[in-house]
Amino acid sequence: MHRAFTDEPVSDEDLTQLVYAAGRAPVARPDIRHLVVVTNPRLMRTVRQACPGFINNAPALIAVCSDLEAAERAVGRRGREVVARLDAGAAAGYLTLAAPALGLGVCIVTSWTESAVQEILELPPHIRPEVLVAIGHPVSPSPPAIRRFEPAVHREQFGTPWTHR
Amino acid sequence: MDAPLTAEEEIFALALYLISCARLALEEPVIYGSFRLVEGASRLIETAPRLGAEPDDFLTRCREEIEREKVRMIDDADGYRDWLDGLLRRVVAEAARRNLAEAG
C-alpha cells in the first residue's frame, strides 16, 4: 500500500485500464458492481476531510460499490450481506494488481462511514460503497512498508501447518 | 493548483474530520479512536499558522513526533500506548511550565 504520491494526475487512459481490471473480478451478477472514479481535486479534498482512513495524498480514487437491490435479487440476503462485499474486495484486489504495470500505486481505504461516502459521491440509498482505492504515482523511493503480512497457512484442515513438501 | 483554504475553510475541514471520526469511532476498535484523536491534534497544529497563530516550536516538534510514531498503533499497541504516555507527559509538563511562567 502507498500513502505518499506525487502531484502528477492519473490519466484517463490509466484509469480506464484500472476500471477494466476491476471489472474482470468475480461478481455474482454484472448489474451489482458500480465503480465511481474520482479525480476532481475538490471532491478528493472532501474525501480526505470526511474519511478518517484516507490519510494519503492520492490525486484519484475508485470507489467500488454494490447495488444492494440487485445483489439481493440475484443471491438473496447472503448476496447483500456477504457476496457483494467479497466481490467488491476482489475488484479492489484486481485493480491493485494492475496498478504497478502502469507505474501507479494504490492504497485500499476502509476506515470511513458509508453515510459520509454516500453523501460525497451522491450515491442512491441502495448503492453501498464497499471500498475506496486511492490511486496515484507513488513517490520514489517509497517509504518502507509498515509491516508485512504473512497469513497462517494450513494443510488440508485447520491446525496442520502448511509446509512445502 | 487549488487556492489555499481560507481560515473558515480550514476550521470547517477540522470540524468535519472530528465529526467523521466521532461517528466512525462507534464501529472501530478503541485504539483506532485514539489514533484519530492524535491525528486530529497533528492536523490542528499543522493548520494553526494558517489561522494566524504564532509559530510554536514545541507543538511543531510534537507534530513531527506524532507523524513519526502514530503508525505504531497498527502492530504495536503497547509501544503505541507507551509512546503516547510519554507525549502526554511532555505536553502536560510544558503546559504547567507555561502556566506557571505566566503566573510569574
Side-chain angles (χ1 to χ4, degrees):
Chain A
M1 294 294 113
H2 296 268
R3 291 186 175 82
F5 300 92
T6 70
D7 292 336
E8 184 181 353
V10 183
S11 68
D12 273 7
E13 288 74 20
D14 285 347
L15 289 168
T16 299
Q17 297 264 46
L18 294 178
V19 162
Y20 175 83
R24 305 311 296 170
V27 65
R29 295 290 187 279
D31 59 348
I32 293 173
R33 175 171 293 150
H34 290 257
L35 304 173
V36 183
V37 182
V38 181
T39 58
N40 182 313
R42 298 300 180 96
L43 271 183
M44 290 299 297
R45 177 199 289 172
T46 310
V47 168
R48 271 188 286 278
Q49 292 172 349
C51 298
F54 215 93
I55 51 171
N56 63 74
N57 64 336
L61 73 86
I62 292 178
V64 184
C65 309
S66 299
D67 184 325
L68 299 182
E69 293 172 357
E72 188 152 359
R73 274 198 307 273
V75 204
R77 183 181 170 190
R78 184 172 170 80
R80 181 188 185 103
E81 300 300 331
V82 179
V83 178
R85 297 191 196 272
L86 292 175
D87 288 349
Y94 275 46
L95 81 87
T96 296
L97 291 172
L102 301 170
L104 298 170
V106 307
C107 184
I108 293 179
V109 183
T110 57
S111 289
W112 39 267
T113 57
E114 290 177 10
S115 50
V117 174
Q118 283 181 316
E119 285 295 327
I120 297 169
L121 302 183
E122 295 191 339
L123 302 179
H126 68 287
I127 303 294
R128 183 178 64 203
E130 309 280 25
V131 58
L132 303 181
V133 186
I135 302 162
H137 296 268
V139 299
S140 180
S142 294
I146 293 171
R147 56 183 169 166
R148 183 181 174 86
F149 291 104
E150 300 293 349
V153 186
H154 309 262
R155 181 179 286 279
E156 310 301 345
Q157 292 177 303
F158 191 94
T160 302
W162 168 269
T163 53
H164 184 62
R165 288 179 177 154
Chain B
M1 180 181 282
D2 271 352
L5 297 182
T6 63
E8 291 78 14
E9 288 170 333
E10 296 271 18
I11 291 170
F12 187 94
L14 282 169
L16 174 55
Y17 176 75
L18 292 173
I19 291 168
S20 301
C21 293
R23 174 61 183 87
L24 191 56
L26 298 175
E27 297 169 8
E28 287 192 319
V30 169
I31 197 170
Y32 278 50
S34 167
F35 175 85
R36 308 280 178 228
L37 286 169
V38 80
E39 168 71 18
S42 177
R43 292 190 186 197
L44 179 61
I45 295 168
E46 195 263 341
T47 302
R50 297 196 294 278
L51 299 178
E54 291 292 324
D56 187 319
D57 290 343
F58 177 84
L59 285 181
T60 299
R61 289 195 300 275
C62 283
R63 179 175 182 266
E64 290 167 356
E65 183 181 331
I66 289 169
E67 291 303 304
R68 196 172 58 240
E69 302 290 340
K70 66 185 181 183
V71 292
R72 285 179 188 244
M73 176 276 293
I74 294 174
D75 59 359
D76 179 11
D78 290 341
Y80 172 80
R81 186 188 59 243
D82 290 345
W83 160 70
L84 203 45
D85 266 343
L87 176 66
L88 174 61
R89 287 173 182 274
R90 285 192 291 282
V91 177
V92 168
E94 176 67 9
R97 188 192 69 76
R98 293 186 183 191
N99 291 332
L100 291 171
E102 186 181 309

